[in-house]
Amino acid sequence: MDHADVVVVGAGLAGLSAAHRLTAAGVTVRVLEAAPVVGGRMSTEHLDGFHLDRGGQLLSTALPELRRIPALRDAELRAFSPGVLVHDGEQLHRTGEVGSSPHALRAGGRGAAHGPRGVGVAFTVARALASAPRPRQLDQARLSASLVRLGGSPVHRLHALPELPAADALYGRGLPTRTVRGFLRPLLAALLHDPDLATSSRVADLVLRGYARGRLCVPAGGAEALPRLLAATLPEGTVRTGVRVTDVAVNRVTTAGHGVVSCRAVLVATDARSAAALLPGLRVPAFRPVTVVHHTAPEPPLRDPSLVLDATGGGPVGYTAVMSEVDASRAPAGRALISSTVLGAPPEDTDRAVRRHLAALYGTPTDDWELLTVHHDPEAVAAMPPPHDPRRPVRLLSGLYVCGAHRDTATVQGALFSGRRAARWVLTDFGIRPGYATPSVPAAVA
């Protein structure tokens, strides 16, 4: 481990993405990770047969990097039902369905499987839609047409629109206020992890574009599946876990207890705060907290692989799903796994407040549910208020680079894409012509 062409500090999605690009170009790489496992915030806890994500990341089958990185083309994804279920204060109704798209059911060339259909509460989605009043049916048609147009819009056209806070921009798009409040606001809050929608409208448009072009999904077996797949498909010995880097320079990294590794370049691919500790002067953004609460129940409250949103703001839960219906491998046989995400600071008695809210959303008692775990991350997502630069520099100087979602957009796509950008700069400085092109703006983020 005493030498490599490039040392990557951090084995999250950004660092592993960069390592794939570099090794594909013939560059020797060492990826050093302080934690005992790879993945960073894309990690999963294993408890009594349950696979419990520590973060509440939602993916889209239309993410460009899922197709651009060869290793991720083999990723098994589990798709949610088309659209989402929104609670309007009285009942759930399905909305936001988009017509078939080239990436709707496939990601990376493999089918995106999902769980059984059907609703296990006091109504069916089909009956709810059939009995919907005519104004709602018209709203659904206008919303679907708007999403189809957005999905087909070139990215440069979205970037040409005025940049505002997302909450302000939503009301200028020609959709009824009830559609904005009843679908777009809660959906964007879930996808951006931003309940106030203070995020740049350009980032919000890109996220909605990704939603319109594909299907919401999660990795089979847990969020950790993506980074583990990336790490497993690198050359043997590339990734070293349990190695903490204490100092970096353009030609070496110093570790705690594992000596010095010499190199031709260093790429810091950690979270923003850790990166700033290794690279003094690097700006640390503001962050948004996220809390994920996992419950188990004898029976699923909803027998449908749908994402459930609350349009009323009547409780702490931003979004929830019966994850055992979306991905059966996440729970042992005979048990239901309900995963819920709280956006913003959690309430004092998180479990009780979440249970009360879930009882209203699912329309069923939650007294017999068992709390499995609560994961709280006060710095889960970097804030992206306007003006937001989605292409912050990743090359600090020749031989020293930085990447991560905090240099791009605070999304899975942003993390993967920033690794691609950093690898391109490394190869350029090495005098190696990359075998791939890096577009000036992302095709979609989610």
Side-chain angles (χ1 to χ4, degrees):
M1 199 177 76
D2 59 349
H3 179 77
D5 290 328
V6 181
V7 174
V8 178
V9 183
L13 288 181
L16 293 171
S17 170
H20 267 270
R21 303 297 179 184
L22 294 170
T23 56
V27 174
T28 60
V29 178
R30 292 288 181 272
V31 181
L32 307 182
E33 170 58 52
V37 295
V38 302
R41 290 193 167 97
M42 291 283 288
S43 60
T44 304
E45 178 184 0
H46 302 276
L47 177 66
D48 297 333
F50 292 94
H51 304 288
L52 312 173
D53 285 351
R54 291 185 169 88
Q57 297 94 340
L58 296 170
L59 309 184
S60 167
T61 56
L63 290 185
E65 293 301 303
L66 293 181
R67 302 185 304 279
R68 291 179 182 149
I69 301 176
L72 293 184
R73 294 173 191 165
D74 293 328
E76 294 186 35
L77 304 177
R78 298 292 181 259
F80 291 86
S81 293
V84 296
L85 291 176
V86 180
H87 198 277
D88 60 7
E90 297 180 359
Q91 66 173 13
L92 291 170
H93 60 90
R94 189 172 299 284
T95 187
E97 294 177 273
V98 187
S100 60
S101 72
H103 310 301
L105 297 177
R106 290 187 174 274
R110 294 174 63 92
H114 48 77
R117 301 295 182 94
V119 178
V121 287
F123 65 92
T124 66
V125 174
R127 186 179 302 123
L129 285 176
S131 62
R134 184 168 177 80
R136 178 177 291 174
Q137 293 177 357
L138 293 175
D139 288 352
Q140 293 269 27
R142 294 174 66 180
L143 173 61
S144 181
S146 177
L147 290 172
V148 168
R149 286 195 301 271
L150 180 62
S153 297
V155 174
H156 67 82
R157 184 176 298 172
L158 299 182
H159 278 268
L161 296 174
E163 187 177 18
L164 303 168
D168 297 337
L170 285 179
Y171 292 97
R173 301 299 168 85
L175 291 172
T177 299
R178 58 181 174 267
T179 300
V180 174
R181 293 177 177 173
F183 171 70
L184 289 176
R185 280 195 66 107
L187 176 68
L188 274 177
L191 297 180
L192 296 170
H193 287 159
D194 178 8
D196 300 323
L197 292 189
T199 298
S200 163
S201 58
R202 293 178 180 172
V203 176
D205 282 342
L206 289 171
V207 168
L208 276 179
R209 184 178 185 269
Y211 171 86
R213 292 170 65 86
R215 285 268 293 277
L216 294 178
C217 63
V218 292
E224 68 177 8
L226 292 188
R228 289 183 64 177
L229 181 59
L230 286 172
T233 49
L234 287 169
E236 185 177 358
T238 297
V239 180
R240 305 293 178 91
T241 57
V243 180
R244 183 170 65 88
V245 173
T246 59
D247 186 64
V248 301
V250 294
N251 61 349
R252 59 165 175 77
V253 298
T254 304
T255 69
H258 293 82
V260 175
V261 184
S262 63
C263 56
R264 297 170 61 193
V266 175
L267 170 57
V268 177
T270 64
D271 63 89
R273 194 171 298 282
S274 299
L278 292 172
L279 303 169
L282 204 66
R283 183 180 73 89
V284 178
F287 295 96
R288 301 191 185 283
V290 171
T291 303
V292 182
V293 184
H294 297 283
H295 289 97
T296 183
E299 296 291 334
L302 184 71
R303 291 191 179 277
D304 184 282
S306 287
L307 187 71
V308 178
L309 307 175
D310 182 9
T312 68
V317 176
Y319 57 96
T320 180
V322 184
M323 291 304 297
S324 51
E325 295 293 310
V326 182
D327 177 13
S329 69
R330 296 192 179 211
R335 300 296 297 180
L337 171 62
I338 303 97
S339 299
S340 310
T341 301
V342 176
L343 306 177
E348 288 187 7
D349 191 344
T350 302
D351 180 34
R352 178 177 297 179
V354 167
R355 282 175 189 259
R356 185 184 305 118
H357 195 189
L358 294 178
L361 292 179
Y362 288 112
T364 185
T366 59
D367 298 335
D368 61 342
W369 291 12
E370 176 188 350
L371 176 66
L372 292 172
T373 189
V374 176
H375 292 294
H376 175 65
D377 187 347
E379 298 185 350
V381 180
M384 299 176 285
H388 177 72
D389 180 8
R391 291 294 172 266
R392 298 184 64 195
V394 293
R395 181 186 187 269
L396 305 181
L397 51 90
S398 181
L400 193 59
Y401 312 85
V402 60
C403 68
H406 54 93
R407 311 302 294 178
D408 202 279
T409 56
T411 62
V412 170
Q413 168 70 12
L416 292 169
F417 194 81
S418 72
R420 166 188 282 264
R421 289 200 295 133
R424 183 178 180 86
W425 271 114
V426 173
L427 295 178
T428 298
D429 287 343
F430 281 5
I432 300 173
R433 183 178 178 83
Y436 59 91
T438 303
S440 59
V441 291
V445 293

